[in-house]
């Protein structure tokens, strides 16, 4: 094996940042992620580049702001021939592999089999590709479908997913009513992907170091953990959601989500039941991650491997009577970030602001790969190496950004502000120091006009300086006419 370290990025879908034992949550069960944290650094204030799947994943790939790559929603794609951190790492001498859910493309009913579109992932820089998706249909297949078909259980999976989708679309299935997985545990989509990752790691014999992305489908809904994981959690033990509805004035993104995803009549008991099902799925994913870590240990790779865990975005989980994401509230915005360097380190927690872009730069730094031409991150490798006693250990970025559906957010230590990305009109302003639950939208507060003006001038002008005009026009013309991904029909 070469002197360059291996890099393993474990990337989940819709894992909110407070649903981890290592950040002080005593109700959730994440012993394997906590184990990584016990030998690494927890970045407690990590923010997604976008609270929606495709924009967030495009930013992680390209290192660009959403307004630069232009994939504002789940209906337009970033340019796969543009810059890519995966390609840079590959060209630095790595074998690059991805297993699981990528969601770089706009879903299509007749997309064929994922193996027939592997060349698109190759263009991004991935050498080894084993892509799955959770939208089974006769014209849209993947390796997981083949696996279930061999076991003569594909119809069961298709029926379960159809029931979930139809139930949501027609208001018949609320998020605390998701059924547990009807398949065997090893047949669940993430257990399947985990088994393929383990097989690949076990058989890996290339002289090159590897960069592996293990892209989980969960804890994205449906919250369908196997029944025994459901039994680990009692609703009465769950933390309560922020039951206050969104504050007036509601911004356009919040109002749309409240109209489509609002749970105005949800009881606290229903909220806790939903949380117990979500935590069960988090626990199930954690066990799958544990299997990967054990394989790395058995192969003797942990002394020469960076292991990074994060997610694309969070999950509102009933906060402000919302579910899912696509808003700039903390439940949707804050994501886990655990980084364990080769050989491990004394554990500590960094509370400064960080984001997806810092993760990109950390991986490029670890690989000895060139920086991206457009670069918005700061490598965290030296901070991790310096340890918690370093003078700047608790210093993060001055500001982090997140963008979705033609709206942009800037977050400083004290304030969080969102604007219409085209008109630059402020639509949300929260004082995170005095109102951490985001109960008061201060966007019209006269006494804060200087704060709004300063954030527009100092932060948003820089954020939107290189906006992709062609993609912006596409989005304005209807490229993101449906705000929510097809996976999320209105309740």
């Amino acid at each position: 094996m070469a002197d360059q370290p291996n890099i393993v990025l474990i990337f989940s879908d819709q894992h909110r940042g407070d649903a981890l034992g290592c950040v002080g949550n005593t109700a959730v069960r994440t012993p394997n992620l906590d184990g990584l944290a016990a030998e690494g650094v927890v970045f407690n204030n990590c923010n997604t580049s976008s609270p929606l799947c495709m924009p967030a994943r495009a930013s992680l790939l390209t290192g660009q702001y959403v307004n630069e790559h232009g994939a504002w929603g789940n209906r337009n794609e970033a340019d796969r021939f543009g810059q890519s951190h995966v390609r840079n790492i590959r060209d630095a001498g790595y074998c690059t592999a991805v297993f699981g859910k990528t969601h770089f493309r706009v879903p299509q009913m007749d997309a064929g089999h994922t193996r027939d579109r592997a060349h698109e992932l190759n263009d991004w820089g991935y050498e080894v590709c084993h892509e799955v998706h959770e939208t089974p249909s006769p014209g849209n297949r993947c390796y997981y479908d083949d696996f279930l078909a061999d076991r003569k259980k594909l119809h069961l999976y298709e029926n379960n997913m159809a029931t979930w989708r139809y139930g949501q679309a027609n208001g018949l299935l609320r998020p605390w009513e998701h059924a547990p997985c009807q398949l065997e545990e090893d047949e669940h989509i993430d257990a399947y992907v985990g088994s393929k990752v383990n097989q690949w790691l076990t058989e890996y014999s290339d002289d090159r170091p590897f960069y592996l992305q293990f892209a989980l489908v969960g804890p994205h809904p449906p919250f369908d953990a196997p029944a025994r994981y459901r039994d680990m959690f009692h609703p009465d033990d769950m933390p309560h959601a922020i039951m206050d509805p969104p504050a007036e004035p509601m911004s356009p993104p919040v109002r749309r989500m409240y109209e489509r995803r609002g749970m105005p009549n949800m009881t606290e008991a229903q909220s806790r039941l939903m949380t117990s099902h979500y935590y069960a799925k988090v626990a199930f994913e954690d066990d799958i991650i544990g299997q990967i870590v054990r394989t790395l240990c058995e192969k003797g790779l942990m002394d020469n491997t960076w292991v990074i865990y994060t997610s694309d975005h969070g999950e509102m989980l009933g906060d402000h009577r919302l579910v899912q994401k696509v808003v700039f509230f903390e439940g949707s915005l804050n994501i886990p970030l655990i980084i364990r360097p080769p050989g491990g380190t004394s554990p500590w927690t960094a509370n400064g602001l960080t984001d997806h872009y810092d993760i990109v730069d950390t991986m490029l730094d670890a690989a000895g790969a060139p920086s991206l031409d457009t670069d918005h991150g700061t490598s965290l490798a030296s901070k991790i190496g310096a340890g918690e006693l370093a003078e700047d250990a608790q210093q993060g970025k001055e500001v982090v950004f997140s963008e979705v559906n033609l709206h942009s957010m800037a977050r400083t230590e004290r304030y969080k502000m969102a604007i219409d990305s085209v008109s630059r009109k402020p639509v949300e302003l929260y004082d995170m120091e005095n109102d951490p639950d985001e109960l008061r939208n201060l966007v019209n507060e006269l006494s804060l006009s200087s704060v709004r003006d300063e954030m527009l001038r100092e932060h948003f002008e820089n954020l939107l300086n290189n906006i992709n005009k062609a993609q912006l026009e596409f989005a304005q013309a209807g490229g993101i006419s449906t705000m929510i991904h097809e996976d999320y029909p209105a309740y």
Side-chain angles (χ1 to χ4, degrees), residues 355-405:
D355 57 22
H356 276 156
Y357 305 106
D358 295 338
I359 300 172
V360 171
D361 274 36
T362 302
M363 295 188 295
L364 290 168
D365 186 12
S371 299
L372 296 167
D373 292 339
T374 301
D375 181 9
H376 301 301
T378 301
S379 173
L380 301 171
S382 61
K383 182 185 288 287
I384 293 168
E388 64 178 326
L389 299 180
E391 186 177 352
D392 65 346
Q394 296 304 326
Q395 293 178 10
K397 285 182 166 176
E398 178 187 1
V399 61
V400 292
F401 299 107
S402 191
E403 302 174 274
V404 69
N405 292 331

Side-chain angles (χ1 to χ4, degrees), residues 20 51-52 57 144 192 212 250 295 323 326 368 388 434 440:
L20 284 168
L52 187 60
R57 291 162 188 266
Y144 178 59
Y192 165 80
L212 166 67
M250 282 193 208
T295 299
V323 294
V326 205
E388 64 178 326
N434 296 308
R440 294 184 63 210

Side-chain angles (χ1 to χ4, degrees), residues 137 211 244 282 409 469 473:
S137 69
Y211 170 44
D244 303 76
V282 170
M409 185 280 309
K469 294 181 180 179
E473 290 174 2

Side-chain angles (χ1 to χ4, degrees), residues 9-26:
L9 174 64
I10 304 172
F11 190 68
S12 63
D13 192 329
Q14 211 150 313
H15 189 176
R16 56 185 280 153
D18 62 4
L20 284 168
C22 56
V23 301
N25 187 328
T26 58

